[in-house]
Amino acid sequence: QLRQIFGSAVPAFPPKFYLVMTKSMADERQSQLEQYLQNVTLDSNIINSDVFIDFFRKLQLDTFKIQIQRAFLDVYLADGSNIRLDIQTSDTAERILEVTLCKMGLSRELIKYFSFFFFQDHEDGALSVVKKVAEFELPYVSLQSMKELHCKLGIRKWYMDPSLDTQLMDCRASLNLLYIQAIQEVEKNWVKPTEGQMQELEFLQKTANKAKFLELIREVQFYGYVRLDTCICDYPEEGCSADICVGNNEINCCIKLPTNQTREVSFKVNRLRSWQVTFLSATKDGEEDALELRLEYNDSGTWQWIILYTKQAFLLSSCLKKIILEQVMKAAKAGQETEIKMPESVKSSKKASIQQQQVIHSGVISRRRFLVRPNEDNCVFEKIREEDL
């Protein structure tokens, strides 16, 4: 059906084996299907089509044997409160998010600045953002499939540039969402205010001066970053652990070396050439399949691969894509504002310069390490995607 509608834009479906499959053949088939789904979701026209959405709706319901029926869904906010919604089990995240935010009084044009995320509250008070929920995903079904993880569905802002806060300050509902998330980031020690900043933030919180609070916290280190759980990395050597947060054009890593020394490293996004998510085989202990994210990074003039072993690889990939998309949009907006003032010769040279700038691809390697090399049509500057399977 997708081929009939979108033609050659849809990659060829992996061929079937018509003989009895061996385990290696089944693994190869699974790898090919994984790659096919990843390639299909790179095209926004495809994933927003009724055919695609209906297919994945049926796939999710059938896989977990869930009937289409009325159900209740709890959506959590950063302050711990929740909104109980009366939904259908077949409702997509896009629809539920729109209903929720409109119910809260958010202006429709501001909905794009927020998204659903699955998160976990830990007994020690820590918070883990597990993944961003894809627009075509069925939140009710996903929560049923992750019961053992005790995940919750929550609303968080979905942009990486803290200056975009200013676009949401005039709406009471969006201002409140930003404010309670900012307080959460302070309480979870996700941000690093100076002693003076902390005192002023506490005063503004006591006086409930939300606008001033948000204005000040934008100056605080790591505000607006997405923090990942501690993971393993191979930089600067094998066997290091890393506390990672991503935002403001960087992946910031506090790395603990095998010698127990710590080292803070900032990987700048504009020095990335590509990144790839890899499915790894299940462990011997029977744990779920692990993920790794490989970064092709220019370190002191030399390109090298840096590997992060993290279950939040897709979340990190989504954040990187979002950072680049925002950079491109900001550059385009700046170009439009200055274009009328620029001579034609300058316009031409600037356009050529932009075309020669960083070209970044994101790809997926299957659990059997079958490499997917994205073509030019998959360049994130052209068709950057926010959703990951």
Side-chain angles (χ1 to χ4, degrees):
Q1 287 180 301
L2 289 175
R3 277 270 176 165
Q4 292 175 353
I5 298 172
F6 299 102
S8 59
V10 180
F13 195 79
K16 293 182 179 180
F17 290 106
Y18 290 97
L19 301 176
V20 177
M21 288 194 293
T22 63
K23 185 180 186 306
S24 62
M25 293 169 68
D27 288 343
E28 182 180 354
R29 173 70 172 167
Q30 184 172 358
S31 297
Q32 291 173 344
L33 289 171
E34 287 172 353
Q35 296 161 46
Y36 173 81
L37 292 175
Q38 291 292 337
N39 290 334
V40 165
T41 58
L42 289 171
D43 192 323
S44 60
N45 292 323
I46 293 177
I47 69 169
N48 290 326
S49 67
D50 291 339
V51 171
F52 181 88
I53 293 173
D54 289 344
F55 168 74
F56 266 92
R57 178 185 285 114
K58 186 176 187 303
L59 178 65
Q60 292 172 80
L61 291 169
D62 290 351
T63 299
F64 299 102
K65 298 180 174 57
I66 293 178
Q67 300 293 321
I68 298 178
Q69 59 187 7
R70 180 182 173 186
F72 292 104
L73 183 69
D74 289 324
V75 176
Y76 289 83
L77 305 182
D79 62 358
S81 64
N82 71 286
I83 301 171
R84 173 154 288 194
L85 300 174
D86 187 351
I87 65 160
Q88 292 288 314
T89 55
S90 58
D91 285 340
T92 63
E94 181 180 29
R95 171 173 169 74
I96 297 173
L97 180 66
E98 182 179 356
V99 170
T100 305
L101 292 176
C102 287
K103 186 175 181 179
M104 295 174 63
L106 195 79
S107 303
R108 285 187 177 273
E109 62 269 18
L110 300 181
I111 292 176
K112 62 184 178 181
Y113 292 104
F114 296 91
S115 183
F116 277 140
F117 292 83
F118 291 123
F119 67 92
Q120 295 171 307
D121 286 318
H122 300 286
E123 292 182 358
D124 61 0
L127 174 73
S128 294
V129 180
V130 178
K131 70 181 288 284
K132 177 185 176 295
V133 183
E135 292 183 355
F136 56 80
E137 197 169 343
L138 308 185
Y140 180 87
V141 176
S142 295
L143 284 172
Q144 297 302 309
S145 70
M146 297 190 295
K147 273 187 175 180
E148 294 181 359
L149 298 177
H150 303 291
C151 286
K152 296 179 180 179
L153 180 68
I155 295 176
R156 301 183 67 81
K157 67 181 182 182
W158 180 227
Y159 52 86
M160 307 303 295
D161 181 358
S163 68
L164 291 176
D165 279 4
T166 57
Q167 305 292 319
L168 290 79
M169 302 295 283
D170 294 333
C171 173
R172 180 179 297 181
S174 58
L175 175 67
N176 188 58
L177 286 171
L178 295 183
Y179 177 68
I180 61 177
Q181 184 172 328
I183 289 178
Q184 182 189 60
E185 292 181 17
V186 173
E187 292 175 344
K188 301 296 183 183
N189 295 317
W190 285 13
V191 294
K192 290 187 177 180
T194 64
E195 185 177 345
Q197 287 174 328
M198 191 64 199
Q199 290 176 354
E200 192 169 351
L201 287 171
E202 289 174 346
F203 172 76
L204 292 172
Q205 184 178 351
K206 287 179 181 178
T207 58
N209 194 333
K210 299 179 181 180
K212 284 292 185 181
F213 185 97
L214 290 170
E215 183 180 338
L216 174 60
I217 202 170
R218 284 199 291 275
E219 302 173 6
V220 174
Q221 187 180 22
F222 300 138
Y223 169 67
Y225 283 52
V226 174
R227 187 168 292 273
L228 276 62
D229 297 342
T230 301
C231 66
I232 304 298
C233 69
D234 70 346
Y235 184 93
E237 57 184 289
E238 294 280 353
C240 296
S241 64
D243 292 322
I244 297 175
C245 55
V246 56
N248 195 27
N249 192 35
E250 69 166 340
I251 303 172
N252 184 277
C253 302
C254 183
I255 298 173
K256 186 176 182 180
L257 304 174
T259 58
N260 286 330
Q261 295 176 306
T262 58
R263 176 178 172 184
E264 187 168 341
V265 180
S266 174
F267 298 113
K268 299 300 182 182
V269 173
N270 56 14
R271 295 174 67 182
L272 286 174
R273 182 159 64 185
S274 65
W275 67 86
Q276 300 165 331
V277 176
T278 306
F279 288 94
L280 302 178
S281 299
T283 63
K284 293 181 180 179
D285 297 330
E287 294 182 2
E288 61 183 281
D289 290 351
L291 295 171
E292 71 176 25
L293 187 136
R294 294 170 172 251
L295 306 166
E296 191 176 11
Y297 188 74
N298 190 332
D299 188 9
S300 303
T302 303
W303 290 103
Q304 68 177 94
W305 286 98
I306 297 167
I307 305 176
L308 306 174
Y309 299 94
T310 170
K311 293 180 179 180
Q312 295 159 298
F314 281 121
L315 174 62
L316 179 53
S317 178
S318 295
C319 292
L320 293 175
K321 293 176 183 179
K322 194 68 171 177
I323 289 173
I324 294 170
L325 177 60
E326 289 172 0
Q327 289 178 344
V328 173
M329 293 177 67
K330 182 180 289 188
K333 184 177 180 180
Q336 291 174 354
E337 291 174 350
T338 59
E339 185 176 4
I340 193 169
K341 302 177 183 178
M342 295 168 55
E344 281 300 321
S345 60
V346 178
K347 292 180 187 178
S348 300
S349 64
K350 184 173 182 180
K351 182 178 180 181
S353 173
I354 291 175
Q355 290 175 342
Q356 293 173 10
Q357 286 180 1
Q358 169 200 31
V359 176
I360 299 180
H361 297 90
S362 62
V364 178
I365 308 174
S366 75
R367 65 189 72 232
R368 297 188 65 214
R369 294 185 178 273
F370 189 90
L371 179 62
V372 176
R373 289 290 188 189
N375 57 33
E376 291 305 314
D377 288 338
N378 293 337
C379 173
V380 294
F381 283 109
E382 298 287 333
K383 295 180 180 178
I384 187 169
R385 289 307 311 147
E386 299 174 14
E387 293 83 7
D388 289 303
L389 289 177

